[in-house]
Amino acid sequence: MPAEAKAAATTARDLARPANPRAAAQPASPPLTERQEARRRRILHASAQLASRGGFDAVQMREVAESSQVALGTLYRYFPSKVHLLVATMQDQLEHMHGTLRKKPPGGDTAAERVAETLMRAFRALQREPHLADAMVRALTFADRSVSPEVDQVSRQTTVIILDAMGLDDPTPEQLSAVRVIEHTWHSALITWLSGRASIAQVKIDIETVCRLIDLTEVGGPGPV
């Protein structure tokens, strides 16, 4: 890629990172019309359905177009590749999970306990659809720089879910740093579980352990070490 193109891609990605992580969870592109949004929802639904049945390889762009009743060229205007589509599908799935979590907030006396419960509930939701989870995680793994906006949306949606569980509206830099480490651990736990290298019990232990970082970032408490 030419240096100018690389610089442009980097600038676009950086500009898409608002300081407020809650505002950042919203797409930066112009809002879709009602008809366009309905079309996009059909595409994402078709992607999730195909992935649920057969995983990453089952999601073929032509089949997605046929299932969602859109022209193949239209599908590519919304999502330039299967990886773009599946990463967007993951963001959509996380958004749905967030809505469910808001209806039934996590219990727990501490922020760390609430975040651990939240992430385990999200993990179990993905566990019920292992082919879909595998397809979405593989897409994240394959994503290159061109998929940065979609990957960033997944990260931001995860951040907002964690902040909601913590009960924070205005996190400190230290708290956001802890959230990033928790996100990395959660995504890594998904990969190791999907590859058969970690049990559900081990995932739970890892998530509960990393969530204790939150205790180190409490106002008035000791800072991160």
Side-chain angles (χ1 to χ4, degrees):
M1 179 184 292
E4 295 84 354
K6 288 184 178 180
T10 302
T11 301
R13 183 179 58 188
D14 293 340
L15 288 174
R17 295 179 182 272
N20 184 337
R22 295 180 181 277
Q26 303 303 317
S29 57
L32 301 177
T33 65
E34 185 176 342
R35 185 176 180 180
Q36 290 171 329
E37 180 60 33
R39 185 181 297 129
R40 185 177 186 275
R41 297 231 56 80
R42 291 201 310 273
I43 293 170
L44 292 173
H45 178 73
S47 169
Q49 289 293 308
L50 289 169
S52 295
R53 291 197 290 267
F56 184 86
D57 292 336
V59 181
Q60 300 298 321
M61 297 297 272
R62 187 171 296 279
E63 289 190 39
V64 172
E66 292 174 356
S67 297
S68 57
Q69 299 180 325
V70 302
L72 185 59
T74 300
L75 172 59
Y76 277 109
R77 285 199 295 274
Y78 280 81
F79 303 103
S81 73
K82 179 166 76 171
V83 170
H84 286 81
L85 173 58
L86 281 169
V87 174
T89 300
M90 186 167 192
Q91 194 277 333
D92 188 61
Q93 293 291 312
L94 287 171
E95 190 175 334
H96 282 297
M97 287 181 200
H98 193 196
T100 301
L101 290 164
R102 280 176 165 171
K103 292 176 183 176
K104 188 178 179 182
D109 296 328
T110 68
E113 290 173 351
R114 293 192 298 274
V115 172
E117 180 185 333
T118 291
L119 293 180
M120 284 308 300
R121 283 169 61 183
F123 184 86
R124 291 189 183 99
L126 292 172
Q127 184 188 2
R128 289 192 289 271
E129 296 281 1
H131 291 307
L132 173 59
D134 181 66
M136 295 186 301
V137 171
R138 284 179 67 182
L140 278 175
T141 303
F142 296 153
D144 59 18
R145 185 181 293 272
S146 72
V147 198
S148 289
E150 290 82 1
V151 173
D152 286 347
Q153 286 296 320
V154 169
S155 177
R156 290 162 181 168
Q157 187 67 56
T158 308
T159 296
V160 172
I161 289 172
I162 294 172
L163 291 176
D164 270 4
M166 292 172 68
L168 288 179
D169 290 320
D170 188 20
T172 65
E174 291 79 11
Q175 288 168 329
L176 284 176
S177 180
V179 167
R180 283 194 296 272
V181 175
I182 292 169
E183 286 180 33
H184 297 329
T185 302
W186 187 68
H187 287 137
S188 177
L190 276 176
I191 293 171
T192 55
W193 171 72
L194 287 166
S195 65
R197 293 183 288 117
S199 65
I200 300 299
Q202 186 60 58
V203 167
K204 187 173 186 293
I205 290 170
D206 290 350
I207 288 176
E208 289 176 344
T209 299
V210 74
C211 284
R212 292 177 192 147
L213 282 174
I214 294 170
D215 296 334
L216 300 178
T217 66
E218 290 181 354
V219 177
V225 294

